[in-house]
Amino acid sequence: MITVERYTPAMRDQWNDAVEASRNGTFLHRREYMDYHSDRFNDFSLVARSATGNILALLPADKSGTSLRSHAGLTYGGWLMLPKADMNAMLDIWTAARNVAQDSGIDNLIYKPVPHIFHRYPAEEDLYCLFRDGASIASTQVSSVIDLQNPMGFDQNARRASVKAIRRELHVAESHDYATFWQILCEVLASRHNTLPVHTLAEISMLAGRFPENIRLYGVFDKGRMVAGSVVYITHTTVHAQYIASDDIGRRYGALALLFDNLATTFSDKVRYLDFGTSNEDAGRILNSGLIRQKCGFGARAVAFNTYKISWR
């Protein structure tokens, strides 16, 4: 009796309400976030309903060629499950969704489940469905995470860096000066990785305006000048460092150690996890050992962000 249909803009409010009621949805799955770059993707999001028409689950997704993908504009976004979507229901939802996809000429699925650190309540029914449907792991990214309820603490190098920052009288403060931080970030990414941020300054400013409680900038200042910072995404369970950057002064005086010590203290009674993000290239095959060493120095340890693939040919 479960039905699955494609999302339409007329369902926007229902979709957003279901995200808020789900066990594993975050603000990234609200349409105000997903749709800011709707011109870049062919949206193929799905809505699963019970026999009475109530929403049981949502799949943020797009279609590329003959592939159904967990929405490529999001870091993660498998099935978002409401409390009543138990294991039996999820099996029926999975089968119904596959039928809808195949009827639209789709012959494979690329799927990015929501990592457990973003779950408000256990929600891994989809992982069992992946196994049942013969999924293989297409990539594994390693994210570095601190459990703020039981932190390991800084290692010796990170503690020294934090002390150096304090002696320099650096200080951490929330800021709305995205332009200055974006200049630091772009210079770091260009010089070290020959790349640019995923978001433009205009985009991140717009999104921060739409989600002022969820997207925030914390800067480290030296005599009033920003020398480092991080744009953080705050969900119900996790504060995620979406962007991290430090200029030469910040690196010299341990600005990031001071910053993350401050963030861990600030959010320890608000969320469970502090997530530094992934440290991989080439679909996870290459690990940036220097970057992950720095994150481990702050007491972070690995959480795997898997992407799965299923062929329905």
Side-chain angles (χ1 to χ4, degrees):
M1 300 300 292
I2 288 173
T3 60
V4 171
E5 60 186 329
R6 287 188 64 180
Y7 167 82
T8 67
M11 302 176 190
R12 178 188 178 96
D13 290 344
Q14 290 184 60
W15 176 284
N16 284 340
D17 289 345
V19 169
E20 294 304 316
S22 70
R23 291 178 271 144
N24 57 337
T26 72
F27 76 93
L28 281 78
H29 302 120
R30 292 181 61 91
R31 299 312 303 199
E32 302 96 304
Y33 191 99
M34 289 180 59
D35 291 344
Y36 87 89
H37 48 17
S38 58
D39 57 314
R40 304 177 203 171
F41 304 100
N42 178 16
D43 191 279
F44 204 96
S45 297
L46 299 177
V47 178
R49 298 181 186 272
S50 68
T52 58
N54 294 320
I55 293 178
L56 291 175
L58 309 169
L59 179 65
D62 70 271
K63 180 182 179 184
S64 178
T66 61
S67 296
L68 175 64
R69 307 185 296 185
S70 288
H71 201 287
L74 301 174
T75 305
Y76 50 84
W79 279 102
L80 312 179
M81 290 165 277
L82 276 75
K84 289 187 177 181
D86 62 15
M87 190 66 251
N88 287 321
M90 193 63 227
L91 286 169
D92 290 340
I93 291 168
W94 195 272
T95 299
R98 183 177 60 207
N99 291 338
V100 169
Q102 289 177 319
D103 288 345
S104 298
I106 289 169
D107 60 21
N108 68 91
L109 171 68
I110 300 170
Y111 188 87
K112 299 181 292 188
V114 179
H116 73 269
I117 59 172
F118 300 105
H119 295 189
R120 281 174 275 173
Y121 200 81
E124 294 186 350
E125 289 85 355
D126 57 342
L127 299 187
Y128 180 65
C129 292
L130 286 165
F131 163 71
R132 285 272 296 257
D133 211 6
S136 59
I137 296 178
S139 72
T140 298
Q141 306 275 343
V142 177
S143 200
S144 300
V145 179
I146 295 174
D147 184 344
L148 295 175
Q149 293 184 3
N150 188 29
M152 294 180 63
F154 282 14
D155 69 8
Q156 189 175 46
N157 289 334
R159 287 196 301 271
R160 286 174 178 168
S162 183
V163 169
K164 187 183 294 186
I166 293 169
R167 288 176 176 169
R168 175 71 178 185
E169 298 185 347
L170 302 185
H171 73 279
V172 177
E174 187 170 359
S175 174
H176 298 285
D177 188 2
Y178 283 87
T180 296
F181 176 71
W182 228 245
Q183 182 177 354
I184 296 171
L185 176 66
C186 289
E187 289 174 356
V188 169
L189 291 178
S191 63
R192 296 194 167 196
H193 305 287
N194 193 31
T195 188
L196 292 172
V198 173
H199 300 94
T200 65
L201 173 59
E203 287 173 340
I204 199 67
S205 299
M206 176 269 293
L207 289 170
R210 289 185 183 180
F211 299 96
E213 297 303 314
N214 301 105
I215 301 177
R216 294 157 73 175
L217 169 62
Y218 288 85
V220 184
F221 296 87
D222 179 37
K223 299 178 178 62
R225 185 176 73 86
M226 187 185 296
V227 297
S230 179
V231 174
V232 297
Y233 278 19
I234 304 165
T235 68
H236 297 280
T237 62
T238 301
V239 54
H240 164 71
Q242 178 73 11
Y243 293 107
I244 305 168
S246 177
D247 68 9
D248 290 339
I249 293 293
R251 284 190 289 275
R252 185 182 307 165
Y253 292 106
L256 292 182
L258 182 68
L259 172 63
F260 289 115
D261 189 27
N262 181 279
L263 290 181
T265 301
T266 298
F267 287 97
S268 62
D269 63 345
K270 299 177 179 65
V271 298
R272 177 162 183 178
Y273 299 108
L274 171 55
D275 173 27
F276 291 93
T278 58
S279 305
N280 300 93
E281 301 171 21
D282 190 23
R285 295 176 182 85
I286 298 174
L287 179 68
N288 186 326
S289 58
L291 180 58
I292 205 165
R293 186 181 301 114
Q294 180 187 37
K295 296 173 181 178
C296 288
F298 300 141
R301 292 298 183 266
V303 170
F305 286 22
N306 288 334
T307 298
Y308 297 85
K309 185 170 184 178
I310 298 172
S311 175
W312 288 327
R313 292 185 181 88

